[in-house]
């Protein structure tokens, strides 16, 4: 590769979180569009990079990486940026919240977006799951809102970490998807997290993502659908 990294992405997918982190570190990278309309993530060439057929993949000099949290963690350690470093007092707290966001918040969002993958084609079962998940997600957001207000050293402070980037993107998705249930999340009810979204979208990393993925002028605090929309999480 001519640059250290190649990011395989689709607009408004989890690759957006990795793009923001790459922009924050300032390391050169190139991108490859994975056109989800054409199911390019299931093609043999892509599965050679990620056998699970999920986005993103980050190609590195050490080989391809997948799983969003793993990529973020690797970047923070490789570039000693965007996180408390190994051996510091804040490292354990950082790790537990990173994996809470990845394994709980993000995982439940995926279930909300694709209920048919978890409960099958029955519409009533899908509706019941979606209602349950929205309640659960609001509890998680209340936890993060309280954390931001009471212990701002973890995230939502003046020092940006990958936690901030990850949460801002998750909040964006919750405001836009699924399209049929838009409006269930009102960011104004979460003043600490809403303020975080405004800070993130004012950063150079967000401006680069806006241009690259057509995210609009307020992609996190008052988001709109990406243009072009290839692969958006509808």
């Amino acid at each position: 590769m001519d640059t250290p990294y190649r990011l395989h992405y689709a607009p408004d997918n989890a690759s957006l979180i990795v793009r923001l982190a790459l922009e924050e570190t300032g390391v050169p990278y190139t991108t490859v569009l994975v056109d989800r309309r054409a199911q390019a993530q299931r093609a043999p060439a892509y599965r050679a990079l990620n056998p699970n057929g999920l986005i993103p993949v980050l190609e590195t000099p050490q080989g391809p990486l997948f799983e969003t949290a793993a990529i973020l963690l690797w970047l923070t350690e490789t570039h000693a940026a965007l996180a408390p470093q190994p051996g510091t007092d804040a490292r354990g707290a950082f790790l537990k919240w990173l994996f809470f966001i990845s394994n709980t918040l993000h995982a439940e969002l995926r279930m909300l977006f694709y209920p048919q993958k978890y409960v099958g084609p029955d519409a009533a079962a899908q509706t019941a799951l979606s209602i349950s998940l929205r309640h659960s997600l609001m509890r998680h957001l209340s936890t993060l809102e309280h954390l931001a207000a009471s212990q701002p050293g973890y995230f939502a402070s003046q020092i940006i970490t990958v936690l901030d980037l990850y949460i801002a993107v998750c909040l964006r998705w919750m405001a836009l998807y699924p399209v049929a249930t838009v409006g269930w999340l009102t960011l104004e009810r979460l003043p600490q997290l809403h303020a975080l979204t405004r800070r993130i979208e004012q950063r150079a990393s967000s401006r680069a993502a806006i241009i690259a993925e057509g995210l609009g002028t307020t992609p996190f605090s008052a988001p709109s659908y990406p243009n072009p929309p290839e692969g958006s999480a509808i």
Side-chain angles (χ1 to χ4, degrees):
M1 291 184 289
D2 295 332
T3 56
Y5 306 126
R6 181 181 294 126
L7 176 64
H8 295 255
Y9 83 101
D12 231 7
N13 279 235
S15 49
L16 174 59
I17 307 160
V18 178
R19 184 192 289 273
L20 292 171
L22 288 166
E23 290 289 340
E24 286 286 344
T25 64
V27 64
Y29 70 99
T30 58
T31 59
V32 179
L33 174 66
V34 183
D35 191 343
R36 290 184 55 188
R37 295 177 304 179
Q39 297 293 302
Q41 74 274 20
R42 297 182 181 177
Y46 190 80
R47 285 189 180 272
L49 299 172
N50 181 354
N52 301 308
L54 297 174
I55 302 166
V57 165
L58 182 67
E59 291 189 76
T60 79
Q62 286 75 45
L65 300 176
F66 53 86
E67 296 295 331
T68 302
I71 297 171
L72 295 175
L73 186 57
W74 186 88
L75 285 172
T76 67
E77 293 182 353
T78 299
H79 297 283
L82 299 176
Q85 292 303 295
T88 62
D89 291 344
R91 183 66 173 182
F94 164 78
L95 291 174
K96 71 182 180 184
W97 289 112
L98 174 62
F99 285 96
F100 170 78
I101 296 167
S102 175
N103 295 353
T104 302
L105 185 68
H106 193 173
E108 289 187 11
L109 278 176
R110 181 171 174 78
M111 295 172 68
L112 181 67
F113 299 158
Y114 308 109
Q116 70 280 4
K117 293 181 179 292
Y118 300 91
V119 295
D122 182 78
Q126 292 182 22
T127 298
L129 177 62
S130 296
I131 292 171
S132 176
L133 286 168
R134 289 198 293 272
H135 286 302
S136 179
L137 287 164
M138 282 307 305
R139 288 195 299 271
H140 301 330
L141 293 181
S142 295
T143 296
L144 294 171
E145 175 76 8
H146 176 74
L147 181 67
S150 62
Q151 302 180 60
Y154 289 126
F155 72 100
S157 67
Q158 296 306 310
I159 300 175
I160 295 295
T161 73
V162 293
L163 299 181
D164 301 292
L165 305 177
Y166 209 153
I167 291 168
V169 174
C170 286
L171 289 168
R172 169 183 168 78
W173 292 336
M174 279 185 262
L176 294 176
Y177 309 108
V179 174
T181 61
V182 165
W184 70 272
L185 172 66
T186 303
L187 278 175
E188 287 75 8
R189 295 171 55 190
L190 303 162
Q192 296 290 334
L193 298 183
H194 196 195
L196 168 64
T197 63
R198 291 194 294 267
R199 288 200 300 275
I200 294 298
E201 68 193 13
Q202 292 168 4
R203 299 183 67 81
S205 60
S206 293
R207 291 195 293 273
I210 287 169
I211 294 170
E213 301 192 18
L215 300 182
T217 56
T218 54
F220 305 117
S221 65
S224 57
Y225 295 105
N227 182 27
E230 292 95 340
S232 57
I234 296 172

